Amino acid sequence: MSQQRMALWAAEADLDEDLQDVDLSLAMGSYGQNELYDDAQQPQLDESALLTMQQHMAQQAAFSQIPDVVKRFIVHFHQAVLDNNLAEITVAYESGWNRLTEKYYAKTEWPEAEIIAPLVNDDQIFLILYRELYYRHVYSRLQPNIDDRFHSYENSCELFNYLLNSDGPVPISLPEQWLWDIIDEFIYQYQSFSIWRSKPRTKTDDELGLLADGGAQVWSSYSVLNVLYSLIQKSRINEYIVATQEGKSEEEISEIVGEYGTKPLYRMLGYFSIIGLLRVHVLLGDFTLALKVMDNVELNQKSPFTRVTACHVATYYYVGFCYIMLRRYHDAIRTFVTILNFMLRMRQYHTRSYQYDQINKTADRMYALFAICHALSPTRLDDNILNIVKEKYGEQFAKMSKGDEGLPAFEELFLYACPKFISANPPPYDDPEALSALLESDQPHVDPAHRHLALFLADVQAQSPIPTLRSFLKLYTSLDASKLANFLDVGEEEMVCQLMMMKQASRSISRIGSDKEGGDKSAKGGLLDGQMIVTSDLNFVIDDNMVHIAESTVGRRYAGWFIRNTEHAQRVLDALRASPLPSSKGAGGAATGPGSGPKPKGGNDSTDVQRNNAPRPGGQKVAWGGVKAA
Amino acid sequence: MPSSTATAWISPSTRTSVIENLVSGVDRYNPSNVGILEDYLYQQIRSQEYDCLANLAILKLYQFNPDLYNPDVVVNILLKALTAAPLPDFSHCLSLFDERPPAPKSEDPLPDLIPSLSTMHTLLIQCRFPAFWTLYHSEQLEPLRENYTIEYVGFEDAIREVVVRAVKTSFTKISSERLGSYLNLRGAELEAFAEQHEWTFDASAGIFTIPANPDNEIESIVVQEQIELKQLTNIIAHTTLKR
């Protein structure tokens, strides 16, 4: 690993030269020490005093353009970071930044870090954080050009270098949401760069030149993985999770995780890096490794990653998608149902979140993936989710259950809902001959998403006779194979092969059994583990030439619904009892007595309050109890 | 994949601690370890073992380091993955193939072989075993047989195990003619093979009997809803507190 780490930082030094970026050539070691920083700046002034003067004047002009309210915001934001005041940072980060973006920077960049530097006393750490936001804004609202892409990479490197290679843990605190966004955005920009880089035809000569010089190192897969693994190792997050699961005491845990792991900043970055790895491996098409890195993470509502909704949702999306690619449709369905139900319940709370739109889009993708899984392995796990799927994707849903003719519907939903796959390697920008050969070749370019689609569709197509077979088998308890072959208008041997295929498709590895066995400690086997289960209600066996069929039925489930509504009724009743009588002030009716009035028997007050405070978790538990019984 | 859990697939008993470290740790990204993994693959080829995750680690290294790419290794990995059907190991392997610049064809046998291997995989997951054997013994696949499966100890038997899994799941009795076409075996060979799996042969009827197993015993089940006390704790607690 050390070798790769060198490669990453070495690449960065090269880039500084290539891009002649004055500002970024600051000595790495001088973060947080303002005096040293001034020293470092001095020689540059001597070397190109005139140029600097001009720059200075331009910067001053730009500075004067900044609205006062933005200046005040930056000063305030900086102060909050200096004070490690998490509450203030959160307000500035989640609300202030977005409000000012809407007002002043909806279509343009925020002021560059160099221009606002005087406002924050040239605090390099804050400027790195500021640039993190600056580039994220460019990527989300505007079109990043090649300089933005290279510079945002450098800034990410500086940020992670500061976090990982300072003397000891760095003394800053950031809100968990921001920490997740840092990891999330880092991977997003890597993904965005990889996709942009994979299309040599649309590049200008300048871009081709830059890509030939430094493109292989910037945003390379190794450098991205290196950051994520380094954060995981530094924070000893896996050791932390295992120790927590083993019920170790706080002292023991802090012994195990060391000086970095005890800091919330590093612990959460480590945690989010595991989720980040899950995502990177999926993007690169390595679905088994993606689930393997999650070995220690427990997928339940109590896990720390659920505290950041965007992270919670992303985790389930990628895990569910992996299960689809592992052809474990039932596990995928369970994963999606869990998170989609959670989102339905949380809807009223997270509408305010600035990531609401993004989260909703992911949810729509998961409904589409649910539809795919359901077509391949029908289940009645959750009628509520199923109904929403039918509303959203009714047309495709109907087509997909029709065998061969449903393939275009599978394709449409897969391409809509799959992650934005990337190639690990760039086109040969550093080899002009190979590049021009590539550009001139008439071989159609197959993007990674279509490669994965083709592999998936091959399996779907193999299963295409199932719906027809199923509809015939359902009509009989036993039936001669030759007769069935006649109905289907295929040869008997061919049909027997189809039956074998159908039978095997109704068996799948799943985590269901392992969950129950281990109770709360279901994570012991990891997400890849599982045992063979039967996924179809239609079972059959071939006795020489006679097909015997047995169909299982699942009675309707009422309990969950009644329990939920009983609890709801209880809550309503409690709320009614706790509220004052609707009588007017002077009316004597208010004195009807405490027994039936607003205050029930004294001792019960506190329990009522508790119930009212936590209505949601109560409702959830019941629903999950009901579903688990499936 | 003889067992009914994924445990042996995730971590086969033949995996040494050195390989385990490579599969589970960050050393899997170190290009200098590719030799260890490749040796392990050839050990699998010689000793009828299979370790999918270790083989995927080789392909991962190839994905990140195109210089390491060795087509012979890739073909062997794909052949190993074929014998894991109906598990989707073969697709996992292909997922890790990035599009690579077209190399001179004579040097790389893979572009020619991949379509055939993919067809073989499709036939296996469709359980069209007679068609599989026809393709496998066709003239077109001579290079595959001469250069690769000849080195692969027990390749045909490994494919037969794919067949056994499918037949065991689906049949209680099967005619010798049908079973023979699936296994590409006839007469005494077929009977000997069936005997290994304790399938009894009724010579007069020409029918093999497959012993009962969880998949070929069928019954209709009606699943009734079960309510656990745990689900009702909230309601009961609430009621008792009121009184």
Side-chain angles (χ1 to χ4, degrees):
Chain A
M1 216 49 207
S2 60
Q3 192 194 349
Q4 292 144 20
R5 191 174 295 158
M6 272 168 58
L8 169 60
W9 310 127
E12 191 187 324
D14 287 346
L15 283 169
D16 284 352
E17 277 177 18
D18 291 342
L19 299 165
Q20 300 167 350
D21 194 312
V22 184
D23 188 60
L24 289 170
S25 60
L26 286 163
M28 286 278 181
S30 67
Y31 293 148
Q33 302 169 15
N34 285 331
E35 300 148 55
L36 266 181
Y37 161 71
D38 285 336
D39 289 350
Q41 194 75 325
Q42 219 63 76
Q44 285 169 7
L45 284 170
D46 294 340
E47 279 165 28
S48 50
L50 183 65
L51 187 68
T52 315
M53 268 310 242
Q54 285 171 343
Q55 268 181 357
H56 189 67
M57 285 168 71
Q59 283 186 1
Q60 273 195 333
F63 185 79
S64 64
Q65 300 284 313
I66 304 174
D68 281 348
V69 54
V70 174
K71 285 179 187 158
R72 275 201 300 279
F73 167 75
I74 290 171
V75 170
H76 179 78
F77 197 177
H78 177 225
Q79 193 56 44
V81 172
L82 281 183
D83 298 345
N84 277 341
N85 184 339
L86 272 183
E88 288 289 316
I89 299 175
T90 306
V91 171
Y93 176 74
E94 295 196 0
S95 151
W97 177 272
N98 292 305
R99 230 186 33 240
L100 292 173
T101 297
E102 290 301 337
K103 196 160 178 195
Y104 298 106
Y105 304 110
K107 292 192 178 74
T108 56
E109 292 92 348
W110 273 70
E112 287 187 20
E114 292 71 46
I115 292 166
I116 61 120
L119 287 174
V120 298
N121 297 329
D122 273 338
D123 178 345
Q124 288 306 304
I125 302 311
F126 183 79
L127 289 179
I128 290 177
L129 293 172
Y130 178 83
R131 273 190 216 104
E132 201 271 325
L133 294 171
Y134 171 90
Y135 286 117
R136 198 191 308 167
H137 171 252
V138 170
Y139 276 83
S140 71
R141 296 279 185 137
L142 317 163
Q143 273 292 329
N145 61 28
I146 187 165
D147 287 342
D148 292 327
R149 291 177 190 277
F150 278 45
H151 289 171
S152 72
Y153 174 74
E154 282 159 26
N155 192 58
S156 300
C157 290
E158 290 202 36
L159 176 59
F160 291 122
N161 196 24
Y162 165 66
L163 292 170
L164 290 164
N165 299 343
S166 298
D167 296 335
V170 302
I172 56 171
S173 308
L174 295 177
E176 289 179 355
Q177 175 72 52
W178 194 350
L179 295 176
W180 162 253
D181 289 338
I182 286 175
I183 300 290
D184 187 53
E185 183 68 13
F186 180 58
I187 298 169
Y188 169 74
Q189 291 179 8
Y190 157 67
Q191 167 193 305
S192 165
F193 183 81
S194 301
I195 291 172
W196 175 82
R197 184 184 61 177
S198 69
K199 296 167 186 152
R201 283 170 212 280
T202 59
K203 300 287 168 284
T204 65
D205 287 347
D206 278 356
E207 288 170 341
L208 287 174
L210 280 168
L211 284 169
D213 287 343
Q217 269 79 43
V218 178
W219 291 117
S220 76
S221 304
Y222 263 128
S223 67
V224 171
L225 288 175
N226 185 19
V227 165
L228 298 177
Y229 276 108
S230 300
L231 285 169
I232 289 170
Q233 282 173 340
K234 204 78 168 183
S235 61
R236 302 204 194 142
I237 185 64
N238 277 314
E239 290 82 346
Y240 170 82
I241 300 172
V242 170
T244 317
Q245 282 164 3
E246 285 169 353
K248 294 237 161 68
S249 71
E250 252 174 65
E251 291 82 35
E252 283 172 305
I253 290 179
S254 59
E255 185 89 351
I256 290 167
V257 299
E259 54 170 346
Y260 285 92
T262 44
K263 297 269 185 300
L265 177 86
Y266 285 94
R267 183 184 305 156
M268 290 319 287
L269 279 174
Y271 221 111
F272 294 144
S273 294
I274 297 180
I275 312 297
L277 272 185
L278 164 73
R279 178 169 165 199
V280 169
H281 289 318
V282 170
L283 294 179
L284 289 166
D286 200 336
F287 309 108
T288 53
L289 188 56
L291 290 186
K292 197 162 165 46
V293 294
M294 294 282 289
D295 262 353
N296 292 313
V297 180
E298 281 185 271
L299 271 197
N300 61 37
Q301 318 268 339
K302 277 174 275 172
S303 269
F305 69 82
T306 60
R307 293 205 294 263
V308 177
T309 306
C311 170
H312 190 183
V313 172
T315 307
Y316 277 76
Y317 168 75
Y318 286 105
V319 167
F321 190 82
C322 283
Y323 278 133
I324 294 182
M325 297 315 267
L326 262 63
R327 317 297 187 252
R328 284 166 63 165
Y329 305 117
H330 207 76
D331 282 343
I333 286 177
R334 273 166 26 110
T335 310
F336 295 137
V337 164
T338 309
I339 192 67
L340 289 171
N341 265 314
F342 168 80
M343 293 170 80
L344 285 179
R345 294 215 172 88
M346 289 303 289
R347 194 162 41 187
Q348 50 189 324
Y349 301 107
H350 70 69
T351 41
R352 287 168 317 200
S353 159
Y354 63 101
Q355 285 171 321
Y356 180 66
D357 285 347
Q358 191 55 41
I359 288 170
N360 258 357
K361 275 181 200 156
T362 309
D364 278 349
R365 292 206 174 93
M366 288 194 281
Y367 282 114
L369 292 175
F370 180 102
I372 289 179
C373 296
H374 189 273
L376 293 167
S377 180
T379 167
R380 285 190 44 200
L381 189 58
D382 192 308
D383 288 342
N384 194 14
I385 300 290
L386 188 59
N387 288 335
I388 299 178
V389 168
K390 284 179 185 162
E391 259 172 50
K392 284 182 188 279
Y393 305 108
E395 193 188 327
Q396 296 93 333
F397 192 83
K399 279 185 194 155
M400 285 192 294
S401 57
K402 283 181 189 155
D404 249 346
E405 38 178 320
L407 278 183
F410 278 105
E411 179 171 345
E412 179 193 340
L413 288 189
F414 185 95
L415 286 178
Y416 159 69
C418 73
K420 303 271 174 290
F421 291 112
I422 56 178
S423 293
N425 295 298
Y429 286 110
D430 49 350
D431 182 347
E433 276 180 42
L435 187 66
S436 58
L438 182 77
L439 287 173
E440 280 159 25
S441 87
D442 40 3
Q443 270 188 345
H445 171 77
V446 182
D447 70 57
H450 279 89
R451 276 196 306 117
H452 294 293
L453 170 71
L455 289 171
F456 177 69
L457 283 187
D459 276 25
V460 173
Q461 187 157 30
Q463 290 195 20
S464 61
I466 289 181
T468 320
L469 277 173
R470 185 183 157 85
S471 62
F472 277 106
L473 289 179
K474 271 178 93 86
L475 303 173
Y476 297 86
T477 51
S478 58
L479 162 76
D480 196 78
S482 58
K483 198 166 150 192
L484 181 57
N486 265 342
F487 289 152
L488 294 167
D489 202 22
V490 291
E492 185 177 335
E493 289 308 312
E494 176 75 28
M495 194 267 320
V496 171
C497 288
Q498 289 183 0
L499 281 176
M500 274 194 287
M501 179 273 295
M502 177 174 176
K503 180 89 184 197
Q504 287 208 318
S506 71
R507 301 291 183 272
S508 166
I509 298 279
S510 166
R511 291 182 70 224
I512 289 182
S514 7
D515 270 6
K516 261 184 195 158
E517 228 171 88
D520 281 349
K521 294 192 173 170
S522 58
K524 64 181 176 201
L527 296 178
L528 279 175
D529 214 349
Q531 57 188 11
M532 199 62 98
I533 59 153
V534 179
T535 60
S536 167
D537 54 353
L538 190 73
N539 209 347
F540 66 90
V541 73
I542 312 168
D543 180 355
D544 192 14
N545 274 322
M546 190 60 90
V547 186
H548 298 285
I549 301 126
E551 197 176 353
S552 299
T553 43
V554 179
R556 278 206 72 166
R557 298 175 189 284
Y558 300 103
W561 190 88
F562 275 106
I563 291 169
R564 256 200 319 274
N565 284 284
T566 309
E567 288 188 336
H568 182 64
Q570 284 178 336
R571 279 196 303 273
V572 171
L573 183 61
D574 287 347
L576 280 178
R577 282 185 169 177
S579 57
L581 284 175
S583 57
S584 56
K585 264 182 197 165
T592 14
S596 61
K599 287 178 195 161
K601 288 156 222 160
N604 286 346
D605 269 6
S606 61
T607 53
D608 282 353
V609 172
Q610 274 172 9
R611 287 201 172 281
N612 287 330
N613 277 351
R616 288 293 157 186
Q620 257 169 30
K621 242 179 220 151
V622 170
W624 291 115
V627 170
K628 262 192 188 150
Chain B
M1 201 230 15
S3 68
S4 62
T5 68
T7 318
W9 180 86
I10 295 169
S11 154
S13 56
T14 55
R15 188 188 287 169
T16 61
S17 59
V18 176
I19 302 291
E20 171 61 29
N21 281 338
L22 288 185
V23 171
S24 301
V26 288
D27 271 348
R28 59 158 41 240
Y29 299 103
N30 187 340
S32 57
N33 286 327
V34 74
I36 302 174
L37 289 165
E38 287 171 348
D39 288 347
Y40 180 46
L41 168 72
Y42 282 103
Q43 179 196 322
Q44 295 170 43
I45 293 289
R46 285 190 305 271
S47 357
Q48 295 175 290
E49 298 163 3
Y50 179 53
D51 190 338
C52 180
L53 293 183
N55 297 344
L56 288 172
I58 301 181
L59 295 176
K60 186 94 205 162
L61 279 169
Y62 289 0
Q63 184 185 31
F64 284 160
N65 306 279
D67 304 346
L68 297 177
Y69 170 73
N70 177 342
D72 291 343
V73 169
V74 175
V75 174
N76 277 309
I77 291 176
L78 290 175
L79 285 173
K80 269 288 170 198
L82 272 185
T83 62
L87 288 183
D89 296 14
F90 188 82
S91 303
H92 294 332
C93 295
L94 288 188
S95 288
L96 290 180
F97 280 23
D98 271 357
E99 203 188 352
R100 55 184 75 247
K105 276 211 169 174
S106 52
E107 287 169 29
D108 188 351
L110 213 56
D112 285 338
L113 283 177
I114 284 205
S116 310
L117 288 166
S118 295
T119 314
M120 286 163 80
H121 172 244
T122 306
L123 291 174
L124 285 180
I125 59 170
Q126 289 178 324
C127 298
R128 293 167 61 194
F129 304 119
F132 172 87
W133 292 112
T134 312
L135 172 67
Y136 177 63
H137 290 292
S138 70
E139 203 179 315
Q140 180 203 348
L141 285 193
E142 200 180 316
L144 184 72
R145 292 195 305 275
E146 306 264 296
N147 298 324
Y148 296 102
T149 55
I150 196 167
E151 308 277 343
Y152 183 141
V153 176
F155 174 73
E156 298 192 15
D157 279 342
I159 294 293
R160 287 188 186 107
E161 287 306 314
V162 177
V163 177
V164 166
R165 287 195 286 271
V167 169
K168 256 170 65 183
T169 323
S170 313
F171 287 90
T172 52
K173 293 202 182 85
I174 183 168
S175 71
S176 67
E177 195 187 339
R178 187 173 277 159
L179 184 62
S181 73
Y182 292 171
L183 292 169
N184 194 37
L185 292 172
R186 248 164 279 301
E189 274 186 325
L190 178 61
E191 283 169 47
F193 185 90
E195 203 172 321
Q196 279 174 24
H197 291 86
E198 297 174 354
W199 296 355
T200 50
F201 184 49
D202 178 352
S204 59
I207 285 180
F208 288 95
T209 304
I210 317 285
N213 63 61
D215 292 318
N216 74 354
E217 284 186 307
I218 58 163
E219 57 176 332
S220 301
I221 305 165
V222 179
V223 181
Q224 295 290 1
E225 178 171 36
Q226 284 190 346
I227 304 163
E228 288 173 31
L229 184 62
K230 206 172 62 186
Q231 292 170 260
L232 299 173
T233 41
N234 272 349
I235 295 178
I236 295 168
H238 189 272
T239 323
T240 49
L241 279 171
K242 281 290 154 204
R243 300 284 156 247

